[in-house]
Amino acid sequence: MHAVRVNGFPCKDPMAVNTEDFFNPAMLDRPRDTKNSKVGSNVTNINVINFPGLNTLGISLARIDYGPLGVNTPHIHPRATELLTVLEGTLYLGFVTSNPNRLFSRVVKKGDVFVFPKAMIHFQMNLAHDKPAAALSSLSSQNPGVISIANAVFGSNPPISDDVLATAFQVEKKLIDWLQSQFWENNHY
Amino acid sequence: MHAVRVNGFPCKDPMAVNTEDFFNPAMLDRPRDTKNSKVGSNVTNINVINFPGLNTLGISLARIDYGPLGVNTPHIHPRATELLTVLEGTLYLGFVTSNPNRLFSRVVKKGDVFVFPKAMIHFQMNLAHDKPAAALSSLSSQNPGVISIANAVFGSNPPISDDVLATAFQVEKKLIDWLQSQFWENNHY
Amino acid sequence: MHAVRVNGFPCKDPMAVNTEDFFNPAMLDRPRDTKNSKVGSNVTNINVINFPGLNTLGISLARIDYGPLGVNTPHIHPRATELLTVLEGTLYLGFVTSNPNRLFSRVVKKGDVFVFPKAMIHFQMNLAHDKPAAALSSLSSQNPGVISIANAVFGSNPPISDDVLATAFQVEKKLIDWLQSQFWENNHY
Amino acid sequence: MHAVRVNGFPCKDPMAVNTEDFFNPAMLDRPRDTKNSKVGSNVTNINVINFPGLNTLGISLARIDYGPLGVNTPHIHPRATELLTVLEGTLYLGFVTSNPNRLFSRVVKKGDVFVFPKAMIHFQMNLAHDKPAAALSSLSSQNPGVISIANAVFGSNPPISDDVLATAFQVEKKLIDWLQSQFWENNHY
Amino acid sequence: MHAVRVNGFPCKDPMAVNTEDFFNPAMLDRPRDTKNSKVGSNVTNINVINFPGLNTLGISLARIDYGPLGVNTPHIHPRATELLTVLEGTLYLGFVTSNPNRLFSRVVKKGDVFVFPKAMIHFQMNLAHDKPAAALSSLSSQNPGVISIANAVFGSNPPISDDVLATAFQVEKKLIDWLQSQFWENNHY
Amino acid sequence: MHAVRVNGFPCKDPMAVNTEDFFNPAMLDRPRDTKNSKVGSNVTNINVINFPGLNTLGISLARIDYGPLGVNTPHIHPRATELLTVLEGTLYLGFVTSNPNRLFSRVVKKGDVFVFPKAMIHFQMNLAHDKPAAALSSLSSQNPGVISIANAVFGSNPPISDDVLATAFQVEKKLIDWLQSQFWENNHY
């Protein structure tokens, strides 16, 4: 651990910085494969984890690809607002507010913009049965984080007690146990 | 709308401020009833909504009462870290991190302190079959907000499309529909 | 002036908010005309000025269209970092640091990402003689502002004293006067 | 110095973090001894100094125990608002504002809440002649700091010139010298 | 109350702003009278209270004049660091840190710079018996506030209970009562 | 690299800090030489670069000396508002706003104060043909940065493409080339 760090991430000597530190060949124009995803979506993150030059700059990106009827399941970004631009296709998307739990949802099409305020639960779904869709999202943090709700609740390691979850979801414990035994895929890279 | 506002909340004329603006007879020493709660818990909030003098001061409180085996179900505070002190009883509590979804959980007893970092999914449960428990939580915002996960996902108004939720939770749509038809109680006041 | 304001911008009553407040039919997929621009570029802003729902959310967007050899001239955003994604074509772009004045420049192509740190002077140019180019930029403020250098220096209203500018640019005052008599187009909308 | 630091405090590798980092067996339910305190009070701090997991989280706690007629003498927290909950007994408490120096004071009892805005001079006193009292305070910083006024003014090391203090307090220098020769106890741990 | 407000202060319509909003004829070059001050000093503030254009800009000024042996008594600025430049004369100045209460003091002369970190108790004194002194201070807030320690403690309105102060200062209550009966001048304008 | 760092700058062990860390013998009362400056001005910075104790404190200073008709050429501070006090002489000064490019300019004299909001292009000029002038500026960051417009645009290393600059300034490329071949002095130390 021999380098200066800011926010826990590396901070290069200013004299050693060069143009490549501000560049990322992210290939954001290219569709990603969604066939191997159980939920039919694939999120490509461009943030401080893989683009260290963004540290302290307060912004990052994600490209989201959706297969036919593919879903980017309900999730939150604990440290960022997300501003989504539809690149291709037609999406049903929305977010749920803090108490009371109002849903603001809508169908949006190519070229439209929609904003998910910081730390609100939100989702998107490709409405087409036969075509992919894609979006480019801007996030107001270099390190937004992501918590997929179903995965965090039913797929954590170790699992949350099924007593807690049975009460929370108003179902039998054996349903909780069954849910916890499923494979909870991470579609955010 | 005749008053000055800061953060959208009222801001009194400094010369009109008096001691009562900084005081709240919150009766935080008194157990709240948990019998009418389906999940067996009751959260009493003391924040800018009912204590306007906290505006801009960056702090608030909540007293949480738990009946026997009562649960404060998985939820997030989008704008606050929560620092919980156990007032009475023994709790099982924890939170789940952003990807990867690690669970940090523990049994805590009277006098112990545990911290839930901002916007992480967390919960508590009273482990006793026969006694109540209680906690006092400090929150790092005068307006922390609360999003109960099960309620926001299955009890929003209007409901989230069951296509999205069936994919997200890897279950049949009819189970989603049944969940959405339940009553989703708000235990945070 | 009958509404609540935050940051000087309108803040709607939470109960009056609806889905359309979070939506903008920005048509960001459609090329804008660059023929009427003297510099050959056209910037379409999506920020709190025309999308009030972004207020307090700390993010905004801009689509930039470039005609053949079109230039988005050197400028700064006083309140935002800019993260640019190339939508179409090949650009020469760069920014200049604070003392010492190092230039970090590069040729970037479709799908690449480049970041301009907050308040640094930056520019882009379409390298193609015969094709348009386009970019989508994310900005880390809902109200980033823009100061085009040549316009602000030579096209302000009223003009800056030519004594100041002749000394600053090391040229004769009559050249300054000639520059100040030109039309300084605003290509940011 | 082999570890990453944030705010000058240690920042563990995320993969090395475990549940105990978020837990503190603070025994906040247990009264502390006040007999050895000249001012009759004892403050137990739970902040980043003894609970490193609070770093960057913006919150901390203090339990305050008061003997009969015990006083938590006038002091400031330079980096935090304090939200006090009375755990036991009856307190006289207050704070003084910036110019003009208005005092906002009040008697508060078990279960009441009172807020001391950031960096204002404040104090509490147990009004009972025969019983202890206690409070639990929430502070809006993981590292609030504390400056006891009398101690800082008369007990600093080295001492402030008595010329300055005689003028400030409008008394003879020999009274200042006598005050500076006293033992100024630190009741904040 | 018909205007937009930000931070509780007026925020002009951008189109109504003019050069005079950014200007203050503060006459900071002119010595102020210190003869009518009991402590021999006079502080002239230039902040958002009398220079509304500073609102949101995070900076303000104060000119401090000292008569022979005049003192700017121990005080804090709850919302600002102070960076002092000596304009004329020789000063003894210092500040006391949070626990432990270390004093950092020094003699400084014309042209020297000294910094008092935010919310620390600090003071200055003119060491000359026969000449005035003066300083220009920069403060890191448009609304720094000032709390003169002796005034706030002994001159508040209404007074703090003498029980609290007798315990805090380790003196008899009658001395406290005598101190509270004095006139506590405000030398900050 | 063996020391703790905050913001990339050294952060001393609190126990090793001493009075000299808060002091700078800046000689801000002494005029600096302006004869060797092509633009007739000389800026002496007192910030975290040469006064490490200012780190995290959010404030810094600059003394600006102007020879007869000397100019502090148009520049921006990317991270600070500047509050200027005229120490000596009469200045013409101003700044240009973001779109639209309005100039707010004025003649100011000894003792006057003028504010340049964060990241706006601003300048000053000594109006006297035969006398020096001087100003003391307060800046709302310990590390404000400075970007002199003409230098950054025409004197960067390596140079910006003359295609970009010819389009931006609406002049022939050979004029750009000539400008880029000049010596661009840095008058900020």
Side-chain angles (χ1 to χ4, degrees):
Chain A
M1 196 65 60
H2 52 297
V4 175
R5 299 233 158 187
V6 170
N7 298 329
F9 289 94
C11 175
K12 288 181 80 166
D13 180 320
M15 287 304 108
V17 167
N18 62 53
T19 298
E20 299 311 294
D21 291 312
F22 303 98
F23 172 71
N24 196 290
M27 300 186 292
L28 288 184
D29 57 317
R30 305 210 195 151
R32 265 65 177 179
D33 181 49
T34 58
K35 299 222 179 74
N36 295 321
S37 163
K38 289 173 77 170
V39 299
S41 71
N42 186 332
V43 183
T44 305
N45 291 308
I46 305 296
N47 59 36
V48 71
I49 307 296
N50 56 12
F51 188 176
L54 293 182
N55 198 13
T56 78
L57 296 182
I59 200 149
S60 62
L61 289 172
R63 179 189 165 103
I64 314 167
D65 285 274
Y66 312 85
L69 300 179
V71 175
N72 189 13
T73 67
H75 62 285
I76 65 167
H77 301 293
R79 293 178 293 275
T81 286
E82 176 176 348
L83 187 53
L84 180 148
T85 303
V86 185
L87 294 180
E88 199 59 58
T90 299
L91 301 173
Y92 160 71
L93 51 67
F95 71 94
V96 180
T97 59
S98 195
N99 279 336
N101 293 132
R102 297 174 66 198
L103 173 70
F104 292 111
S105 72
R106 201 183 199 288
V107 174
V108 296
K109 59 185 203 312
K110 190 173 175 176
D112 287 349
V113 172
F114 198 88
V115 65
F116 304 113
K118 194 193 273 195
M120 298 291 122
I121 297 177
H122 61 286
F123 61 85
Q124 307 101 37
M125 180 180 182
N126 177 6
L127 289 179
H129 290 70
D130 51 357
K131 294 186 289 204
L136 184 62
S137 283
S138 308
L139 297 122
S140 65
S141 166
Q142 70 266 11
N143 189 14
V146 60
I147 301 173
S148 292
I149 298 300
N151 296 29
V153 171
F154 296 112
S156 72
N157 178 14
I160 297 174
S161 157
D162 56 4
D163 285 316
V164 166
L165 296 180
T167 299
F169 288 90
Q170 309 192 56
V171 296
E172 307 270 318
K173 288 213 273 186
K174 70 183 178 192
L175 176 55
I176 298 296
D177 298 343
W178 181 84
L179 284 164
Q180 292 185 323
S181 70
Q182 301 307 299
F183 172 67
W184 296 94
E185 166 194 81
N186 174 12
N187 72 328
H188 289 78
Y189 303 99
Chain B
M1 194 65 58
H2 52 296
V4 174
R5 301 233 157 187
V6 170
N7 297 329
F9 290 94
C11 176
K12 287 180 80 165
D13 180 321
M15 288 304 108
V17 167
N18 62 54
T19 299
E20 300 311 295
D21 290 313
F22 302 98
F23 172 72
N24 197 288
M27 300 186 292
L28 288 184
D29 55 318
R30 305 208 195 152
R32 265 64 176 178
D33 181 52
T34 59
K35 299 220 180 77
N36 295 321
S37 163
K38 289 174 78 170
V39 298
S41 71
N42 185 332
V43 182
T44 305
N45 290 309
I46 306 295
N47 59 36
V48 71
I49 308 297
N50 55 11
F51 188 176
L54 294 182
N55 198 13
T56 77
L57 296 181
I59 199 148
S60 60
L61 289 172
R63 179 189 164 103
I64 314 167
D65 286 274
Y66 312 84
L69 300 179
V71 175
N72 189 14
T73 66
H75 63 284
I76 64 165
H77 302 293
R79 293 178 292 276
T81 286
E82 176 176 348
L83 187 52
L84 179 146
T85 304
V86 185
L87 294 180
E88 200 57 58
T90 299
L91 301 174
Y92 160 70
L93 51 67
F95 72 92
V96 181
T97 59
S98 194
N99 280 337
N101 293 131
R102 297 174 67 198
L103 173 70
F104 292 112
S105 72
R106 199 181 199 289
V107 174
V108 296
K109 61 183 199 316
K110 192 173 172 176
D112 286 349
V113 172
F114 198 88
V115 66
F116 304 113
K118 195 192 273 194
M120 297 290 123
I121 296 178
H122 62 286
F123 60 86
Q124 307 102 36
M125 180 181 181
N126 177 7
L127 289 179
H129 290 68
D130 50 0
K131 292 186 291 205
L136 184 63
S137 282
S138 308
L139 296 123
S140 66
S141 166
Q142 70 265 13
N143 189 14
V146 60
I147 302 173
S148 292
I149 297 301
N151 297 28
V153 172
F154 296 112
S156 72
N157 178 14
I160 297 173
S161 156
D162 55 4
D163 285 317
V164 167
L165 296 180
T167 300
F169 289 89
Q170 309 192 57
V171 296
E172 307 271 317
K173 288 212 275 186
K174 70 183 176 191
L175 174 54
I176 298 296
D177 298 343
W178 181 85
L179 284 164
Q180 291 184 323
S181 69
Q182 301 306 300
F183 172 68
W184 295 93
E185 167 194 81
N186 174 11
N187 72 328
H188 289 77
Y189 302 99
Chain C
M1 194 66 60
H2 52 297
V4 176
R5 300 231 158 188
V6 170
N7 297 328
F9 289 94
C11 175
K12 287 181 80 165
D13 180 319
M15 287 304 107
V17 167
N18 62 53
T19 299
E20 299 311 295
D21 290 312
F22 302 98
F23 172 71
N24 195 290
M27 301 186 291
L28 289 184
D29 56 317
R30 305 211 194 150
R32 266 65 177 177
D33 180 50
T34 58
K35 299 222 178 76
N36 295 321
S37 163
K38 289 173 77 170
V39 298
S41 71
N42 185 330
V43 182
T44 305
N45 290 309
I46 307 295
N47 60 36
V48 72
I49 307 297
N50 55 12
F51 188 177
L54 294 181
N55 197 15
T56 78
L57 296 181
I59 200 150
S60 61
L61 289 172
R63 179 189 165 103
I64 315 166
D65 286 273
Y66 312 84
L69 299 180
V71 176
N72 189 14
T73 66
H75 62 285
I76 65 166
H77 302 292
R79 292 178 293 275
T81 286
E82 176 176 348
L83 187 53
L84 179 147
T85 304
V86 185
L87 294 180
E88 199 60 58
T90 299
L91 301 174
Y92 160 70
L93 51 68
F95 71 94
V96 181
T97 59
S98 194
N99 280 337
N101 293 132
R102 297 174 67 198
L103 173 70
F104 292 112
S105 72
R106 199 182 200 288
V107 173
V108 296
K109 60 184 200 315
K110 191 173 174 175
D112 286 348
V113 172
F114 198 88
V115 65
F116 305 113
K118 194 192 275 196
M120 297 290 122
I121 297 177
H122 61 285
F123 61 85
Q124 306 101 37
M125 181 181 181
N126 178 7
L127 289 179
H129 290 68
D130 51 358
K131 292 186 291 204
L136 184 63
S137 283
S138 308
L139 297 122
S140 66
S141 166
Q142 70 266 11
N143 189 14
V146 60
I147 302 173
S148 292
I149 297 300
N151 297 29
V153 171
F154 296 113
S156 73
N157 177 15
I160 298 174
S161 156
D162 56 4
D163 284 316
V164 166
L165 297 179
T167 299
F169 288 90
Q170 309 192 57
V171 295
E172 307 270 318
K173 287 212 275 185
K174 69 182 179 193
L175 175 55
I176 297 296
D177 298 342
W178 181 83
L179 283 164
Q180 291 185 323
S181 70
Q182 300 307 299
F183 172 67
W184 295 94
E185 166 194 81
N186 174 12
N187 73 327
H188 289 78
Y189 302 98
Chain D
M1 196 64 60
H2 52 295
V4 174
R5 300 230 158 190
V6 170
N7 297 328
F9 290 93
C11 174
K12 288 180 80 165
D13 180 319
M15 287 305 108
V17 167
N18 63 53
T19 299
E20 300 310 295
D21 290 313
F22 302 98
F23 172 71
N24 196 289
M27 300 186 291
L28 288 185
D29 56 318
R30 305 210 194 151
R32 266 64 176 180
D33 181 50
T34 59
K35 298 221 179 77
N36 295 321
S37 164
K38 289 173 79 171
V39 298
S41 71
N42 186 332
V43 183
T44 305
N45 291 308
I46 306 296
N47 60 36
V48 72
I49 307 297
N50 56 11
F51 189 177
L54 295 182
N55 197 15
T56 77
L57 296 181
I59 199 148
S60 61
L61 288 172
R63 179 189 164 104
I64 315 167
D65 286 274
Y66 312 85
L69 300 180
V71 176
N72 189 14
T73 66
H75 62 283
I76 65 166
H77 302 293
R79 293 179 291 277
T81 285
E82 175 176 348
L83 188 52
L84 180 147
T85 304
V86 185
L87 293 180
E88 199 59 58
T90 299
L91 301 173
Y92 160 71
L93 51 67
F95 72 93
V96 181
T97 58
S98 193
N99 281 336
N101 293 132
R102 297 175 67 197
L103 172 71
F104 292 112
S105 72
R106 200 181 199 288
V107 174
V108 296
K109 58 183 204 314
K110 191 172 173 176
D112 286 350
V113 172
F114 198 88
V115 66
F116 305 113
K118 194 192 273 197
M120 298 290 122
I121 297 178
H122 61 287
F123 61 86
Q124 306 101 36
M125 180 181 181
N126 177 6
L127 289 180
H129 290 68
D130 51 358
K131 293 186 289 204
L136 184 62
S137 283
S138 308
L139 296 123
S140 66
S141 166
Q142 69 267 10
N143 188 14
V146 60
I147 302 173
S148 293
I149 297 300
N151 297 29
V153 172
F154 296 112
S156 72
N157 178 15
I160 297 174
S161 157
D162 55 5
D163 285 316
V164 167
L165 296 181
T167 299
F169 288 90
Q170 309 192 56
V171 295
E172 307 270 317
K173 287 211 276 186
K174 70 182 177 192
L175 175 55
I176 298 296
D177 297 344
W178 181 84
L179 284 164
Q180 291 184 323
S181 70
Q182 302 305 301
F183 173 67
W184 295 94
E185 167 194 81
N186 173 12
N187 73 327
H188 290 78
Y189 302 99
Chain E
M1 195 64 61
H2 51 296
V4 175
R5 300 231 157 189
V6 170
N7 297 329
F9 290 94
C11 175
K12 288 180 79 164
D13 180 321
M15 286 304 108
V17 167
N18 63 52
T19 299
E20 299 311 295
D21 290 314
F22 302 99
F23 172 71
N24 196 289
M27 299 187 291
L28 288 184
D29 56 318
R30 307 211 193 150
R32 265 64 176 179
D33 181 49
T34 59
K35 298 221 179 76
N36 295 322
S37 163
K38 289 173 78 170
V39 298
S41 71
N42 186 331
V43 182
T44 304
N45 290 309
I46 306 295
N47 59 36
V48 72
I49 307 296
N50 56 10
F51 188 176
L54 294 182
N55 198 15
T56 77
L57 297 181
I59 200 149
S60 61
L61 289 173
R63 179 189 164 103
I64 315 167
D65 285 274
Y66 312 84
L69 300 180
V71 175
N72 189 14
T73 67
H75 63 284
I76 64 166
H77 302 294
R79 292 179 292 275
T81 286
E82 176 176 348
L83 188 51
L84 179 147
T85 304
V86 185
L87 293 180
E88 198 60 57
T90 299
L91 300 174
Y92 160 71
L93 51 67
F95 71 92
V96 181
T97 58
S98 194
N99 280 335
N101 293 132
R102 297 175 67 197
L103 172 69
F104 293 112
S105 71
R106 199 181 199 288
V107 174
V108 295
K109 58 183 205 313
K110 192 172 173 176
D112 286 349
V113 172
F114 198 88
V115 65
F116 305 113
K118 195 192 272 195
M120 297 290 123
I121 297 178
H122 61 286
F123 61 85
Q124 306 101 36
M125 180 182 181
N126 177 6
L127 290 179
H129 290 68
D130 51 358
K131 293 186 289 204
L136 185 62
S137 282
S138 309
L139 296 123
S140 66
S141 167
Q142 70 266 11
N143 188 15
V146 60
I147 302 173
S148 292
I149 297 300
N151 297 29
V153 172
F154 296 113
S156 73
N157 178 14
I160 297 174
S161 158
D162 55 5
D163 284 317
V164 167
L165 297 180
T167 298
F169 287 90
Q170 308 193 56
V171 296
E172 307 271 316
K173 287 211 275 186
K174 68 183 178 192
L175 174 55
I176 298 295
D177 297 344
W178 181 83
L179 284 164
Q180 291 185 324
S181 69
Q182 301 307 299
F183 172 68
W184 295 93
E185 166 194 83
N186 174 12
N187 72 327
H188 289 79
Y189 302 99
Chain F
M1 195 63 61
H2 52 298
V4 175
R5 300 233 157 188
V6 170
N7 297 329
F9 290 94
C11 174
K12 288 181 81 165
D13 181 321
M15 288 305 108
V17 167
N18 62 54
T19 299
E20 300 311 295
D21 290 314
F22 303 98
F23 172 71
N24 197 290
M27 302 187 290
L28 288 184
D29 56 316
R30 306 208 195 152
R32 265 64 177 180
D33 181 50
T34 58
K35 299 221 179 75
N36 295 320
S37 164
K38 288 174 79 170
V39 298
S41 71
N42 186 332
V43 182
T44 305
N45 290 309
I46 306 296
N47 59 36
V48 72
I49 308 297
N50 56 11
F51 187 177
L54 294 182
N55 198 14
T56 78
L57 296 181
I59 199 147
S60 61
L61 289 172
R63 179 189 165 103
I64 315 167
D65 286 273
Y66 312 84
L69 299 180
V71 175
N72 189 14
T73 66
H75 62 285
I76 64 165
H77 302 293
R79 293 178 292 276
T81 286
E82 176 176 347
L83 187 53
L84 179 147
T85 304
V86 185
L87 294 179
E88 199 59 57
T90 299
L91 301 173
Y92 160 70
L93 51 68
F95 71 93
V96 180
T97 60
S98 194
N99 280 336
N101 293 132
R102 296 175 67 198
L103 172 70
F104 292 111
S105 72
R106 201 183 198 287
V107 174
V108 296
K109 61 184 199 317
K110 192 173 174 177
D112 286 348
V113 172
F114 198 88
V115 65
F116 304 113
K118 194 192 272 194
M120 297 290 123
I121 297 177
H122 62 285
F123 60 86
Q124 307 101 37
M125 180 182 182
N126 177 7
L127 289 179
H129 291 69
D130 51 359
K131 293 186 290 205
L136 184 63
S137 283
S138 308
L139 296 123
S140 65
S141 166
Q142 70 266 12
N143 189 13
V146 60
I147 302 172
S148 293
I149 298 300
N151 297 29
V153 172
F154 296 112
S156 72
N157 177 15
I160 297 173
S161 156
D162 56 5
D163 284 316
V164 167
L165 296 180
T167 299
F169 289 89
Q170 308 192 57
V171 296
E172 307 269 317
K173 288 212 276 185
K174 69 184 177 191
L175 174 55
I176 298 296
D177 298 343
W178 181 83
L179 284 163
Q180 292 185 323
S181 70
Q182 301 306 301
F183 173 68
W184 295 94
E185 167 194 79
N186 174 12
N187 72 328
H188 289 77
Y189 301 99

